[in-house]
Amino acid sequence: MDFFQRSYSGHSFRPRPLIEEDKSTNTLIVATSWGGSEHAQLVVDTIKEQLIVSEDTQATRINSGHQGLSEEANLLRQAATLANERLYLRENNREYSAAVEIALITVQKETLHWAQLGTPHLLLSGNQGFQPLCYSPDWSWQLQQSSPLVSKALGLDRQCYLNCGSYKLQGNEKLLMICRSAVPGTLYQIQSPDLTTCSQALVEDNSNAPFWLGVVGFS
């Protein structure tokens, strides 16, 4: 995977995500903490640890998971679920102090697998234009304001409901990962998406709205 990123501050605050790529499992992790940076690091460390353990534990693969998901998507879901429980018990069991939005992607055998909660939104660009894989508007979109207000994240409850799935890649797609309250319609009209063209569309839609943008290419 080829990965590029850009942040735009706008007129209000949006935390910059912690990004790590686990080479051993070919998994990209994007964790955005709305509390301390240590919360995102806890989530990332837990996910990486669980992915490695799951790869070595055949029983985990066979006996756990949702039947409608691929084995790889189930592994991502299980890792994020464990991170949610750990964050909730350590930080939010008595009083809310942590919330971490998350996106996990991996490519195995020319197939993209993901698990996501909150932002970044995941949009796939290919020959047929943009296809939204995961889209989760926050409270600020519903209240019609520019300042971000998180609505879905790890740690807010003992249980979480992740967006998970898989997609067979054709070989020329790009994945856009967008941390922003809403995605404008003009973005879907871009023919050759990259950091520059997509950033320009987001700024022109609302220069007050902060965002983080990641572009993943598959080779």
Side-chain angles (χ1 to χ4, degrees):
M1 292 184 287
D2 300 319
F3 176 69
F4 306 93
Q5 61 173 309
R6 179 174 294 174
S7 292
Y8 175 79
S9 58
H11 289 176
S12 54
F13 172 74
R14 173 178 286 277
R16 187 181 180 123
L18 172 64
I19 298 122
E20 288 201 24
E21 184 175 359
D22 182 41
K23 298 291 186 179
S24 62
T25 59
N26 194 33
T27 301
L28 183 66
I29 306 170
V30 180
T32 307
S33 174
W34 290 85
S37 59
E38 68 275 11
H39 301 150
Q41 192 63 59
L42 171 65
V43 166
V44 169
D45 291 343
T46 302
I47 288 170
K48 291 171 66 176
E49 171 188 309
Q50 180 64 16
L51 289 176
I52 293 174
V53 170
S54 297
E55 278 212 327
D56 296 333
T57 308
Q58 188 68 16
T60 300
R61 295 185 174 196
I62 295 174
N63 297 327
S64 301
H66 292 174
Q67 293 184 353
L69 294 177
S70 67
E71 179 180 299
E72 292 81 3
N74 262 314
L75 292 179
L76 298 179
R77 183 190 63 82
Q78 291 162 9
T81 299
L82 179 61
N84 174 76
E85 184 173 5
R86 186 171 293 179
L87 184 64
Y88 174 76
L89 291 176
R90 289 193 183 183
E91 304 294 339
N92 291 345
N93 194 20
R94 296 184 178 179
E95 182 179 358
Y96 285 117
S97 63
V100 178
E101 297 178 294
I102 191 73
L104 313 175
I105 66 167
T106 186
V107 176
Q108 305 290 341
K109 298 179 181 178
E110 299 179 348
T111 300
L112 171 67
H113 310 274
W114 68 87
Q116 179 258 20
L117 186 65
T119 64
H121 313 296
L122 305 182
L123 284 73
L124 193 70
S125 171
N127 292 334
Q128 298 182 356
F130 281 98
Q131 302 297 327
L133 301 180
C134 296
Y135 182 70
S136 181
D138 64 14
W139 283 114
S140 66
W141 178 81
Q142 299 177 58
L143 297 174
Q144 299 297 298
Q145 67 177 45
S146 296
S147 300
L149 289 173
V150 64
S151 60
K152 295 181 180 180
L154 299 182
L156 295 180
D157 205 340
R158 182 68 178 265
Q159 293 182 322
C160 65
Y161 300 93
L162 294 145
N163 299 311
C164 305
S166 302
Y167 177 84
K168 182 69 174 179
L169 296 170
Q170 305 303 312
N172 60 346
E173 295 92 342
K174 290 182 180 179
L175 180 68
L176 267 63
M177 311 178 79
I178 305 174
C179 293
R180 192 177 188 267
S181 297
V183 177
T186 52
L187 189 74
Y188 293 88
Q189 302 172 14
I190 298 175
Q191 298 298 318
S192 299
D194 55 29
L195 281 179
T196 300
T197 56
C198 293
S199 296
Q200 182 177 354
L202 295 175
V203 173
E204 289 178 351
D205 172 70
N206 185 349
S207 61
N208 293 327
F211 66 83
W212 173 88
L213 171 65
V215 179
V216 183
F218 307 104
S219 55

